[in-house]
Amino acid sequence: MTAIAKVTSIRWTMGDGATVTCAGPGTPYRGSERMVDSPDCGHRYASTSSGQPGERFPLTATSTWTVDWEVVGGGADSGQFTETRDSTVGVRVGEVQVVN
């Protein structure tokens, strides 16, 4: 059997009331790009997380995967299904700068 899984979307619940939905897996972070906004999916926090439990925003990522599968050499069976996974982590925002 061969299976190929691809992320088709990720829904980010940012913990500050905002939700961001990205088509596909998004763009990997590169430290060399400094503070440049994401070209396809991003979020900026407008306040610190100091008033939150544990001083962290509860960030939840819910990914939707599409899996294509087929039986190799043992028949002509194939198909596709979707799978959803989520994970939550605390994000600490200690400083927010405003530039005029």
Side-chain angles (χ1 to χ4, degrees):
M1 184 175 118
T2 301
I4 299 172
K6 294 181 182 179
V7 174
T8 52
S9 68
I10 300 180
R11 182 176 189 261
W12 299 88
T13 304
M14 306 308 293
D16 64 350
T19 301
V20 178
T21 301
C22 308
T27 302
Y29 172 74
R30 291 186 188 92
S32 62
E33 294 175 354
R34 305 253 180 207
M35 298 298 291
V36 176
D37 285 344
S38 170
D40 59 357
C41 184
H43 175 72
R44 286 187 186 235
Y45 286 94
S47 63
T48 69
S49 58
S50 63
Q52 300 296 311
E55 296 191 346
R56 299 182 189 290
F57 288 115
L59 173 78
T60 301
T62 303
S63 58
T64 301
W65 294 76
T66 299
V67 181
D68 293 302
W69 63 272
E70 69 176 316
V71 176
V72 179
D77 287 340
S78 65
Q80 182 181 76
F81 65 92
T82 58
E83 181 71 23
T84 303
R85 300 287 177 170
D86 63 23
S87 182
T88 301
V89 64
V91 175
R92 186 177 198 146
V93 178
E95 182 177 339
V96 177
Q97 295 183 10
V98 177
V99 178
N100 289 330

